[in-house]
Structure formats: C-alpha cells, structure tokens
Amino acid sequence: MKFINDCDSVLNNEINSEIMKFDRNSFFNNIEELPVLQNKVEMNSKTDLVIIGTGMVGITLAARAWHLGFKGDRITLIDGNEYFAENFFRRTKNSEQKIMRSSFIHHVAPNEDINLADFTRLKHNELTNIEKEQLTLARMGERSLPSLDIFLEHVKHVVINHNLHKRAFKFSADSIEQNTTGKWIISDSEGQKIESKYVVLAMGQSPKENMYKEHSINAHVDNFKNYLNEKVKTVNIIGGGNTSAHIVKSCLDRNLKVNWIIRNEENYACTDIPHKYWRDEGYLKFSQMTLDKRMEEIKRIYKGSAMLEHKGIFDDYKKDNALTVFDNATIQEIDKNKTIILQNKTRVESDLIISTIGFELKKLPQIKNGINTFNGFPVLNDSTLEAEGLKNLFIASSHSALSLGPAAKNIDGARIASERIFKELAKREGIEKYNVKNILENLTNWSRNTPVLKK
Ligand SMILES: Cc1cc2nc3c(=O)[nH]c(=O)nc-3n(C[C@H](O)[C@H](O)[C@H](O)COP(=O)(O)OP(=O)(O)OC[C@H]3O[C@@H](n4cnc5c(N)ncnc54)[C@H](O)[C@@H]3O)c2cc1C
C-alpha cells in the first residue's frame, strides 16, 4: 500500500478523516441550480472567440478572456450539455463526493476576481466547523479542502459575474474548418454554423467503454444508488481511483460488504498528480522531455489514487471485515453470478459489480484541415497551446497534456492553459491594457516557458 502525504504543507497537520463526513444540504443538490446554456437559435453566426466546452476549463478560459475584452458579441461559448459544469456536477454527485480533492487555491476565477477562499469567507456564518477549519488553513496557505457545494457556488458566481451564461449556447461541435480568409467555421450535425477568428477547445474526457458491461454498471455513467436494493448485500468495486474510493465509502456507510478490486497497488495521495506539475519546476522539466518521454510520464502519473482522508475510514472498515482489498489484481473473468475470478484463481463473489475504470480523451470534432496527434493527443506549440500548423486554433483541457503536462486534466490546469493561450492572444490583438511588450512578459503569474526540441 502507498500513502503519499507530501501535501505542500509546513504544519504537517494530521489527516482528519472527519472531513469526509461533512454534510450540509443548503447548497446545490439540484442540477437546475447551475447556470443554463441558451438555445442555439439565439446564437450569432459570427464572433471573435469561440470556446468549445463549458466545463471547469471552458469557464476559466472564458472568464479570463472577459478581462482581455472578449465579452458581448466578441465571445461565444458552446457545449452539447444543458448546464455549465454539468459533467463535473454529475460525476461528483454520482459518487457522493462532498469535498474537493484539490486545495482552495484551485478554482476557476481569474486573478483579478474574488478567489475561492475569499468567496468562502463571505459565507462564514453559513459554514460548518469543519469548513471554518479548512478556510483558516486556506488563508494560511496550507493544504485546505473546500466543500464541493461552496466550490460549485463559486463557479456559478464566476459564470454569472462575467455574463458567460448570456454568451453560451447548447451546440455540439461536429466539425471545424478554416476558410480561405483564415476564419474558423464550426458546424454542428444539423448544419448550423458559427464563424470565429479564434477557437479554443476545452472538451474534457468521456468515460471509458466498460469492458465488463454485461455484468457490471459503469459508475461514471450510471448512478450506482439506483442499483442498490435489499437483495444487494455485497458489492465488488473495480478501480483504484478517487471516484472508486468515494463509492467504496458510500457503500460501506450503507452497511454493505465491499470487495475493492484494484489493478495496481492500493494508493492514497494528497492530489491525483504531484504538486510540482502545477508549478514551473514541474512543467518546465516536462517541456524538456521528448514526446515519447512525456507520454510515459503522463501514463505513469495518471494511475488512480484515493484521498488521504479515505485511509483512516477504510482502516476501520477493514478491521470490521466489511472491506476487503484485492490490489495488484488482474481480472480474468466475470461470471453471470457476479463473481469476479482473478488471475491467481481467487473468486470474489458479490450481488452487484460497480466498475469505475476511468476516462479517456473526448473525441475531437472532425478537423477538416487535419490535425497532428501523438498517441491520440494533439501536438501543440508548448508556449501558446496552438495546434501545430492550425493558426488561431488553441487546445486546453485534457487534450493539451502533451504540452501542459499531467495538470492539463485538473482544474488548476485551466489556469496554466489560460496563461499560455491569452498571453499569445493579447499579443495578436495588440491589447494596450497589458502593454504587451514590457509588462506581460514580466508578470510572475504568466507561465514562462522555454520551447525545446520535441524529438
Ligand atoms: C468524481 C470526480 C472528482 C474530481 N475532483 C476534482 C478535484 O477535486 N480537483 C480537480 O482539479 N479535478 C477534479 N476532477 C477532475 C475534473 O473533472 C476536472 O478537473 C475538470 O472537471 C475538467 O474540466 P474540463 O472542462 O476539462 O472537462 P469537463 O468538465 O468534462 O467539460 C468539458 C465540456 O466540453 C463539452 N464538449 C466536449 N465535446 C464537445 C463538442 N464536440 N461540442 C460541444 N461541447 C463539447 C462537454 O459537454 C463538457 O461540458 C474530478 C473528476 C471526477 C470525475
């Protein structure tokens, strides 16, 4: 078992598993509370900047773009979903996650705006004691975990205060093509189009195909609670990541017996990627690697882990024999009676199998001018995140990992992506406010990046 408590902390606080028992029902139980996207018939056919995706990354990018003057008719957000942050909402609610895994400093607001800790402070009277403790740690710069509800409330605040909800439309990008004047035309499957000078893709991930779908449910798609009934006493849960750990906890808390089947070692860590990848020392080193080495690093880092706070809870359940962990386990077969047979011939019986085996890159729209990829990831300019050979088409979110490093898929990866993309857009637009030549290069919060040979 691994327990990696390298938490960017000087106080070395005890890990407090009580935080996982956090409960407050006053915020965000319904998806309808999220800002909604508008009908695409209301959408203009021309704009200056289209952002594809209104998840955490798209929101971060659009709020940053607002400060550079991309507002009103100059910006359009499109998404196939109905609500802002819908994927994140559904996925965290499905797994009954109540606390963010990332610290208070990871949020969607640009530096100019109210950050998550200050936003939380304004709600001080409504906070539970655990939240108040975490907020104190946040204001000391220590590792500190916001509640999911407050985090979502802050996301909503950022969307509304930048008027993003007035500029966002339910529109699924099917294809993208650059016309002879250099403008990008984005079309949906019904032939509706929007033309834009700049496009930024922030498309996230979709759940992997469930290879055991005949005999199990996929927790990233189905709500596991809908499958619990009085006949289900023992559950087999496949996958060693954070979603899995939350569902293991939820089932144990419902007095179910859980067998946790993990392909790698049972692993608890502060965050799902090492902290250095949110900072220069991580991503500058990464950018000096060849593409092959970058891929190796991404695959190595993207192995799942549970939160440190899960461990104390799981230790107690293990003592009571309610939880059994099968790690370094290879599944050979699953039979129709919901028994998992491992390669070492162990038979793990259950009444319900829940699979949580992760995500893959969301399929890109058809890019008619063609796009260079490496192992499925688009090849980008490391400094600007512009797709190689595709002027004014930028790629953020999970798809930018080959240039941005493992942080690409996380909320704070959106901050790093914003820095690279908008530094370049500000230059191209000659935005005076930022006195591009002198000031922009020296701002400490803009990432500094020395391009190196990729081969
Ligand atoms: C259970 C769970 C907990 C997590 N907790 C944390 C955490 O605490 N901290 C953290 O940093 N990260 C966490 N993550 C990772 C988290 O999901 C990401 O950080 C974040 O949601 C990624 O945002 P995104 O915008 O890249 O992707 P998404 O939120 O998935 O947004 C992508 C959007 O693009 C849209 N889209 C895709 N293709 C198209 C198209 N062709 N046309 C139009 N729209 C399109 C999608 O509909 C979607 O709305 C967690 C993930 C899960 C599953």
Side-chain angles (χ1 to χ4, degrees):
M1 179 205 296
K2 281 198 259 181
F3 185 79
I4 306 165
N5 62 347
D6 161 24
C7 288
D8 245 2
S9 162
V10 286
L11 290 180
N12 283 326
N13 285 312
E14 288 286 299
I15 299 300
N16 179 6
S17 294
E18 284 298 304
I19 193 172
M20 303 301 265
K21 298 181 187 152
F22 165 82
D23 212 356
R24 175 167 39 67
N25 291 319
S26 55
F27 296 111
F28 266 112
N29 283 311
N30 298 317
I31 195 159
E32 286 85 14
E33 292 176 51
L34 289 169
V36 72
L37 277 75
Q38 304 200 42
N39 191 315
K40 65 178 183 174
V41 297
E42 308 290 335
M43 189 173 81
N44 288 359
S45 58
K46 290 187 182 178
T47 188
D48 291 335
L49 168 64
V50 166
I51 295 178
I52 306 182
T54 59
M56 295 306 163
V57 177
I59 294 169
T60 308
L61 292 165
R64 153 63 55 194
W66 187 95
H67 289 276
L68 293 175
F70 291 98
K71 49 178 98 168
D73 290 350
R74 294 200 66 209
I75 186 169
T76 301
L77 286 82
I78 58 174
D79 197 304
N81 283 343
E82 266 176 57
Y83 299 95
F84 280 85
E86 182 172 326
N87 287 356
F88 184 78
F89 180 93
R90 287 191 193 284
R91 289 168 188 169
T92 48
K93 293 285 169 182
N94 272 1
S95 59
E96 300 197 319
Q97 181 173 339
K98 291 176 178 155
I99 295 290
M100 295 292 291
R101 185 176 199 178
S102 47
S103 213
F104 263 93
I105 51 171
H106 296 195
H107 59 78
V108 298
N111 289 339
E112 291 89 341
D113 295 346
I114 186 165
N115 65 40
L116 179 58
D118 284 347
F119 181 83
T120 307
R121 184 177 60 82
L122 295 178
K123 295 188 173 289
H124 202 262
N125 291 342
E126 300 166 53
L127 303 181
T128 62
N129 287 338
I130 284 180
E131 281 177 303
K132 285 179 185 164
E133 274 166 33
Q134 293 301 310
L135 180 59
T136 306
L137 290 171
R139 291 173 75 79
M140 292 162 76
E142 284 288 306
R143 173 180 184 253
S144 46
L145 306 182
S147 66
L148 191 84
D149 288 349
I150 290 270
F151 179 85
L152 286 170
E153 190 79 18
H154 181 241
V155 169
K156 183 174 172 180
H157 165 87
V158 170
V159 169
I160 292 179
N161 279 283
H162 295 89
N163 272 326
L164 305 184
H165 56 312
K166 299 202 174 138
R167 304 299 316 146
F169 301 88
K170 185 166 163 22
F171 179 105
S172 213
D174 196 46
S175 67
I176 309 181
E177 185 173 16
Q178 199 166 28
N179 69 15
T180 48
T181 64
K183 296 276 172 59
W184 288 99
I185 314 292
I186 302 148
S187 311
D188 72 359
S189 59
E190 292 171 343
Q192 185 168 342
K193 296 182 193 305
I194 177 160
E195 179 189 299
S196 180
K197 181 171 179 187
Y198 303 109
V199 182
V200 185
L201 272 52
M203 295 179 27
Q205 298 176 301
S206 47
K208 272 189 191 155
E209 169 86 8
N210 180 5
M211 55 208 274
Y212 311 112
K213 63 180 166 225
E214 263 182 73
H215 306 302
S216 71
I217 60 161
N218 182 351
H220 297 305
V221 180
D222 306 306
N223 189 333
F224 76 96
K225 291 172 289 262
N226 296 339
Y227 295 81
L228 302 180
N229 55 49
E230 65 286 354
K231 288 194 190 138
V232 175
K233 309 268 189 245
T234 303
V235 184
N236 284 347
I237 300 178
I238 306 171
N242 200 30
T243 302
S244 192
H246 283 294
I247 295 176
V248 167
K249 176 181 174 301
S250 295
C251 289
L252 290 166
D253 289 348
R254 287 177 166 84
N255 295 321
L256 299 172
K257 210 169 168 319
V258 173
N259 299 310
W260 193 12
I261 319 277
I262 308 174
R263 188 176 40 187
N264 302 305
E265 200 173 347
E266 184 182 352
N267 186 7
Y268 301 87
C270 286
T271 46
D272 57 349
I273 68 164
H275 291 88
K276 65 177 182 184
Y277 281 111
W278 288 297
R279 297 195 286 248
D280 289 4
E281 72 260 32
Y283 47 71
L284 287 183
K285 208 164 174 197
F286 183 81
S287 71
Q288 283 155 16
M289 296 177 186
T290 61
L291 291 188
D292 277 320
K293 287 271 176 242
R294 292 183 196 190
M295 268 323 299
E296 270 175 36
E297 185 67 352
I298 290 166
K299 282 188 189 151
R300 188 180 70 79
I301 303 268
Y302 279 0
K303 286 183 183 151
S305 59
M307 289 167 66
L308 295 176
E309 285 75 8
H310 281 121
K311 183 168 177 299
I313 298 171
F314 291 171
D315 283 348
D316 288 345
Y317 278 119
K318 282 180 193 171
K319 275 188 217 134
D320 294 345
N321 291 323
L323 172 64
T324 310
V325 177
F326 298 83
D327 65 352
N328 296 309
T330 305
I331 296 176
Q332 192 172 61
E333 191 190 332
I334 300 185
D335 75 14
K336 59 179 180 341
N337 300 319
K338 308 211 180 314
T339 298
I340 295 181
I341 299 136
L342 302 179
Q343 211 167 48
N344 66 8
K345 305 296 172 217
T346 308
R347 296 175 66 84
V348 191
E349 292 176 7
S350 75
D351 307 307
L352 174 70
I353 302 179
I354 304 175
S355 169
T356 64
I357 44 175
F359 293 92
E360 59 193 4
L361 292 183
K362 176 89 189 187
K363 192 168 172 285
L364 288 173
Q366 190 198 358
I367 298 178
K368 292 197 175 158
N369 308 68
I371 184 162
N372 283 347
T373 58
F374 184 84
N375 281 15
F377 286 83
V379 179
L380 311 175
N381 177 312
D382 288 343
S383 304
T384 64
L385 303 188
E386 189 170 40
E388 208 171 69
L390 300 175
K391 189 156 192 270
N392 293 336
L393 183 97
F394 298 86
I395 301 191
S397 178
S398 305
H399 297 80
S400 63
L402 213 48
S403 285
L404 208 63
K409 75 178 168 85
N410 289 85
I411 288 156
D412 206 46
R415 172 186 58 84
I416 312 169
S418 288
E419 290 168 0
R420 296 197 193 172
I421 294 170
F422 290 118
K423 178 177 167 183
E424 186 61 21
L425 251 66
K427 273 188 195 158
R428 289 187 194 178
E429 290 290 292
I431 293 172
E432 293 300 317
K433 179 181 163 194
Y434 285 87
N435 191 0
V436 174
K437 271 212 161 67
N438 303 324
I439 299 176
L440 199 62
E441 296 287 356
N442 298 324
L443 284 178
T444 51
N445 59 323
W446 295 93
S447 65
R448 298 167 302 284
N449 193 17
T450 318
V452 291
L453 276 183
K454 286 185 189 159
K455 298 211 170 84

